[in-house]
Amino acid sequence: MSTTSAVVQRFYAAAQAADGAAILTLLHPDFRARTAPGMPCGAGGAFHGPKEALAHVWGAVFADYDTAPYDETWHETTEGIIVVTGHYRGTARATGRAHEAEFVHLWQVTDGRISWLHQYTDTARWHQALAPEAA
């Protein structure tokens, strides 16, 4: 695993531990994220800066879900982009229902810190776990 991939791997470990402080230390001061439109909790869209991303993406998701991303496959492009596929797994706090949603994450690391994330996920699976039970 490259040094760049090791930085991203530390992100997955921090996310699985729900360790916001560790996530912040991994993010570049000019961090930019683009998350899947339609994510619940207002977590979909474009975010700039470590604190904004932590509050509006991971913090918002962790407030409504006990969940984490579990990485499965890794590829590094010749341009230094790291492509990770896997699944989010967990439960919605309000309903107690389990969810599992596939993801693809594209990462870039600059100066030893994560500078960019583009996330693709099945947002319908996230919403299904939060939806009230049908009568």
Side-chain angles (χ1 to χ4, degrees):
M1 183 175 286
S2 73
T3 303
T4 302
S5 291
V7 172
V8 175
Q9 181 58 50
R10 287 196 301 275
F11 171 87
Y12 288 105
Q16 290 166 12
D19 187 344
I23 289 172
L24 278 177
T25 66
L26 294 168
L27 301 181
H28 192 278
D30 195 33
F31 176 73
R32 294 183 184 274
R34 176 157 304 278
T35 55
M39 276 294 289
C41 326
F47 302 92
H48 182 238
K51 290 181 181 177
E52 181 179 57
L54 183 65
H56 297 289
V57 179
W58 301 295
V61 167
F62 291 154
D64 286 350
Y65 296 86
D66 180 8
T67 191
Y70 293 91
D71 53 303
E72 295 165 3
T73 68
W74 287 72
H75 306 281
E76 190 166 348
T77 71
T78 55
E79 295 82 23
I81 302 296
I82 299 176
V83 181
V84 180
T85 65
H87 286 82
Y88 293 102
R89 293 186 182 95
T91 57
R93 295 184 193 282
T95 64
R97 281 202 298 282
H99 82 100
E100 183 170 319
E102 285 185 287
F103 70 75
V104 175
H105 292 156
L106 307 177
W107 301 94
Q108 188 167 34
V109 174
T110 304
D111 300 326
R113 295 171 89 180
I114 298 168
S115 56
W116 179 76
L117 162 67
H118 199 131
Q119 175 226 37
Y120 300 88
T121 188
D122 183 351
T123 60
R125 297 283 183 155
W126 290 85
H127 286 281
Q128 287 169 353
L130 281 178
E133 290 266 355

